[in-house]
Amino acid sequence: MVSGALNNFHYEQRNDPLVRQLRRMREQNAQRYDADYSHVFRRKSRWDFIRLSFVIMGIEFVYSAETAFVSPILLGIGVEHQLMTLVWAISPLIGFFMAPILGTFSDRCTAKMGRRRPILLGLSVTMVLGCILVPFGENFGRLFGDLGEVLATNNISDALNGNLTEFVGYDFTRVEQDILDHTMDYKWAIFFTILGTLVLDFSADTSQTPARAYLLDICVPEDHGRACSTFSIMAGIGGSLGYALGGINWDNTVFGDFLGGSIKTVFTIVTIIFIICLFLTVTSFKEIPLKLMEQDELLRPLNEAILKKERAKQDDKIFYIKDVSKVFAMQLQTIDEKQQPPATQLINNALAAESREVDKSTEASALTDAEPEEEPEQAMSLKDFLKSVIMMPKSIAILCVTNLFCWMGHLSFCLYFTDFVGEEVFKGNPAAPAQSESYQLYLEGVRYGCFGLAIYSLACSCYSFTIEKLIKVLRARIVYCGGLLIDSIGMILMAMFPNKITVFVFSATGGIVYALLFTLPFLLLGQYHAKGQFKANKATRKTNKPEKKRGLATDIAVVGGMIFVAQIIVSLGIGSLIEVLGSTSAVIYTAGICSFTAALLSTRVVYMDL
């Protein structure tokens, strides 16, 4: 598929009569089906892009609650920093292998409702399950026998006799020895919360691939730029509103009293919002089922390979035009121009009639020295997939490494940011008793950090709105490198001077990186596919063996899958860094260093004509 940022290519397409003719043929052909798939071949309005992007806004609502509160929840039930960071490594380890396979399966899904939406709906179910387990893990734990939080006391008998000031949330039916042995008993709560974190994190990250592929499938190539920018804007809006919800203290509200606290209220609200957003997206436009696409080549997307075939066929018609020119000349002498179509229309009609008589099997021969024939992506086994990852083209390999360090910097910032604010800026303690001043300071810092993350998401949305124009003016290389350098400087300054002002000011630089992560890698992928970057190799041509084509969703999953690798690396290493430095400022320093490394690597990315 073609990326919307390919301005010159898309300008040529919009003004190419051949493109308009082929697209009109596909649109008319798609109308003859009961479901009417003609919208796939039409330009979309901004409202259409918004409808298609509602799901990413819902995902970002959920993701904001996850990143803001999972670390505080785990620390609050007795999970240490080092173990807490390891929890974040399990889900991406699963996702690294599963996400690209799901992407490949999405390319070959034969469901009646399309290729992308069934995968998206399945991941949404698990995401909702995670949204229930994470905040209510403590409640499930109590059902399985957890004692809850028990403060240390030397006068246990006084407490049992009615002095309840020494205890918080504890089951008095337990024997005295159980009380003495446990100051914090959350075994089952830890299990359910970690399980919910794994399910939620995997689903939130992996669901972005089918959501993005669905967007690109439904939109024509000329719309990909506006579609991607709208996708990023909606993601930023969802994140900023989600973090703002987290910054509100819901404890003393009706919802907070009913649901059992501020964090549970936030998760409940974002879950409801996600379900609504998912419904708005999956009901917006119908997908063309893969079986129909395989049966009818006019339902396949129009790309540059098909255009080259058609132009080659038109070149062959020049001799035909010369043969019939004398006949046309005689006919034109007797035609009344007021009643009959012009000569150019007659020629076009003749060409169209001739074109219909050409055997479809001759189309492949027109591209013997160019791209192989465009067919729906072939089924890819696990072996084929692993081969496509290990032997990926150099252009994608460089993009993957750059994306890896971008994600490492971004995840170091967003996953542990609220914990950093609560501990370093507000000097709170997440392991302190629930009613202590130190723990209340920590919670206040977490809520303040949510507002900082709201600023970061708002900056992401604003930057996404202008990124396409910046690429036109400054070129993609400067936009990519410059944005990463700005973020690197902002993170280093925040870590050096942790206070309320720097939290607000430099959080915005994190939004620049998130906007870049959402747009540039996928714009570049679209360009690589549009410009025939992945041609058949010489060995394949000599043996005439059909080569399995790299699918767009597969490459999106591979490049986007760097989020899982980054999360594994960050999760395995950040706990040790915090322990060595004795401060959670280590996470912000890590974010700055990783962004700087990504800026250096981005100079080696293949930008082609961007």
Side-chain angles (χ1 to χ4, degrees):
M1 286 191 174
V2 186
S3 166
L6 311 180
N7 301 311
N8 294 333
F9 179 66
H10 289 162
Y11 180 80
E12 293 172 1
Q13 278 205 341
R14 285 194 297 269
N15 293 274
D16 190 338
L18 177 61
V19 172
R20 292 198 299 268
Q21 177 187 355
L22 293 177
R23 185 162 291 150
R24 185 166 54 251
M25 289 172 57
R26 280 164 165 73
E27 183 179 343
Q28 292 172 352
N29 176 69
Q31 288 176 345
R32 67 187 181 89
Y33 290 91
D34 294 336
D36 187 3
Y37 303 110
S38 59
H39 56 268
V40 176
F41 303 102
R42 287 199 295 264
R43 300 292 301 272
K44 302 291 188 299
S45 66
R46 179 66 73 176
W47 170 241
D48 293 333
F49 300 142
I50 292 174
R51 291 168 65 193
L52 288 165
S53 302
F54 265 123
V55 66
I56 191 60
M57 186 175 78
I59 292 172
E60 286 300 310
F61 264 99
V62 172
Y63 195 68
S64 64
E66 178 198 6
T67 55
F69 293 118
V70 165
S71 293
I73 288 173
L74 291 174
L75 292 170
I77 58 178
V79 180
E80 297 179 355
H81 271 103
Q82 203 156 1
L83 180 59
M84 181 266 292
T85 57
L86 289 177
V87 170
W88 288 110
I90 302 174
S91 170
L93 187 62
I94 300 171
F96 177 69
F97 293 101
M98 287 300 299
I101 293 175
L102 285 175
T104 304
F105 178 74
S106 174
D107 284 334
R108 295 300 304 169
C109 180
T110 57
K112 289 184 178 181
M113 67 182 305
R115 296 183 293 171
R116 317 302 183 189
R117 290 184 295 173
I119 309 298
L120 184 59
L121 287 172
L123 290 169
S124 298
V125 172
T126 56
M127 195 185 309
V128 171
L129 176 63
C131 286
I132 296 172
L133 289 176
V134 168
F136 294 97
E138 184 178 340
N139 299 74
F140 287 110
R142 289 182 183 278
L143 293 177
F144 281 78
D146 282 350
L147 292 172
E149 182 181 2
V150 183
L151 301 185
T153 178
N154 293 324
N155 192 0
I156 193 69
S157 59
D158 290 344
L160 289 174
N161 290 329
N163 183 7
L164 306 182
T165 58
E166 300 289 340
F167 297 87
V168 178
Y170 131 90
D171 187 354
F172 284 94
T173 62
R174 297 297 182 90
V175 297
E176 186 172 312
Q177 188 59 43
D178 288 337
I179 300 170
L180 291 172
D181 290 343
H182 297 85
T183 58
M184 190 177 286
D185 181 21
Y186 285 116
K187 294 187 295 293
W188 283 104
I190 290 173
F191 169 77
F192 284 114
T193 305
I194 291 178
L195 176 63
T197 300
L198 299 182
V199 172
L200 175 58
D201 192 49
F202 170 78
S203 302
D205 290 335
T206 310
S207 59
Q208 295 186 27
T209 296
R212 188 177 282 108
Y214 174 52
L215 173 76
L216 296 179
D217 284 348
I218 294 299
C219 297
V220 297
E222 296 95 313
D223 284 341
H224 283 184
R226 295 179 67 201
C228 286
S229 63
T230 305
F231 199 74
S232 298
I233 291 168
M234 295 292 284
I237 293 173
S240 58
L241 293 178
Y243 287 121
L245 279 175
I248 300 173
N249 186 358
W250 297 88
D251 286 333
N252 298 322
T253 64
V254 176
F255 296 111
D257 290 337
F258 177 74
L259 294 170
S262 185
I263 293 177
K264 294 174 183 177
T265 303
V266 171
F267 268 97
T268 302
I269 293 174
V270 300
T271 302
I272 294 172
I273 292 174
F274 168 72
I275 293 173
I276 295 172
C277 290
L278 174 69
F279 176 79
L280 291 173
T281 291
V282 297
T283 57
S284 58
F285 291 99
K286 297 177 182 177
E287 294 181 78
I288 302 177
L290 182 61
K291 289 184 179 180
L292 283 181
M293 204 179 298
E294 290 175 335
Q295 295 169 3
D296 188 350
E297 63 180 9
L298 290 180
L299 290 178
R300 300 171 193 171
L302 183 62
N303 54 36
E304 194 172 12
I306 295 176
L307 291 177
K308 286 183 179 180
K309 295 177 190 177
E310 292 297 330
R311 288 194 177 96
K313 288 162 59 178
Q314 295 292 349
D315 290 340
D316 293 338
K317 303 302 179 298
I318 293 176
F319 300 101
Y320 173 78
I321 293 173
K322 289 181 179 179
D323 292 336
V324 300
S325 59
K326 293 181 179 179
V327 178
F328 273 119
M330 295 177 62
Q331 290 179 351
L332 290 173
Q333 292 177 359
T334 59
I335 288 177
D336 183 358
E337 293 183 356
K338 294 183 181 180
Q339 298 177 355
Q340 300 293 339
T344 54
Q345 183 63 43
L346 291 173
I347 295 175
N348 286 336
N349 292 340
L351 289 176
E354 175 68 11
S355 177
R356 287 192 293 269
E357 296 173 1
V358 177
D359 195 314
K360 294 180 181 179
S361 63
T362 62
E363 293 181 357
S365 61
L367 286 179
T368 304
D369 298 323
E371 282 87 2
E373 185 175 3
E374 182 69 21
E375 296 289 343
E377 288 101 349
Q378 310 221 352
M380 187 176 285
S381 65
L382 178 61
K383 181 181 177 181
D384 295 327
F385 165 70
L386 293 176
K387 183 180 177 182
S388 72
V389 174
I390 296 172
M391 303 181 65
M392 67 176 67
K394 184 179 178 181
S395 55
I396 291 186
I398 296 173
L399 192 61
C400 280
V401 177
T402 305
N403 211 37
L404 170 63
F405 278 91
C406 284
W407 275 117
M408 286 173 62
H410 175 70
L411 291 174
S412 298
F413 164 71
C414 69
L415 291 183
Y416 309 105
F417 180 69
T418 54
D419 181 50
F420 160 76
V421 177
E423 292 193 47
E424 294 301 317
V425 179
F426 281 73
K427 306 302 179 183
N429 182 5
Q435 304 303 321
S436 66
E437 182 181 357
S438 181
Y439 186 73
Q440 294 303 315
L441 278 174
Y442 178 76
L443 290 182
E444 186 181 350
V446 169
R447 288 193 292 268
Y448 189 87
C450 286
F451 285 118
L453 289 173
I455 296 294
Y456 129 85
S457 289
L458 188 60
C460 168
S461 184
C462 294
Y463 192 71
S464 299
F465 190 75
T466 60
I467 194 168
E468 191 175 3
K469 295 179 181 178
L470 288 174
I471 290 175
K472 291 179 182 178
V473 176
L474 301 176
R475 311 299 294 174
R477 187 185 302 275
I478 295 176
V479 173
Y480 210 178
C481 300
L484 291 169
L485 283 175
I486 291 172
D487 176 66
S488 176
I489 295 171
M491 292 296 110
I492 296 295
L493 290 175
M494 186 192 301
M496 292 175 62
F497 309 103
N499 56 67
K500 293 182 180 181
I501 297 176
T502 56
V503 164
F504 259 52
V505 173
F506 295 122
S507 290
T509 63
I512 296 176
V513 174
Y514 203 36
L516 292 174
L517 283 167
F518 255 79
T519 51
L520 265 174
F522 306 104
L523 293 179
L524 292 171
L525 274 180
Q527 186 175 21
Y528 297 160
H529 279 267
K531 294 298 183 180
Q533 186 81 347
F534 315 123
K535 294 181 180 180
N537 55 43
K538 294 181 180 179
T540 303
R541 289 178 182 174
K542 287 180 181 178
T543 59
N544 290 326
K545 241 171 146 183
E547 183 183 40
K548 291 204 182 279
K549 184 180 178 294
R550 296 188 68 92
L552 177 64
T554 302
D555 280 337
I556 288 177
V558 170
V559 174
M562 291 300 103
I563 183 177
F564 300 115
V565 183
Q567 194 167 332
I568 293 170
I569 296 172
V570 170
S571 300
L572 292 177
I574 205 72
S576 299
L577 282 175
I578 293 174
E579 187 176 350
V580 170
L581 294 181
S583 168
T584 52
S585 295
V587 299
I588 309 300
Y589 278 118
T590 302
I593 293 171
C594 289
S595 289
F596 181 74
T597 306
L600 295 179
L601 290 169
S602 66
T603 61
R604 309 297 299 173
V605 169
V606 179
Y607 292 95
M608 298 181 75
D609 60 350
L610 269 181

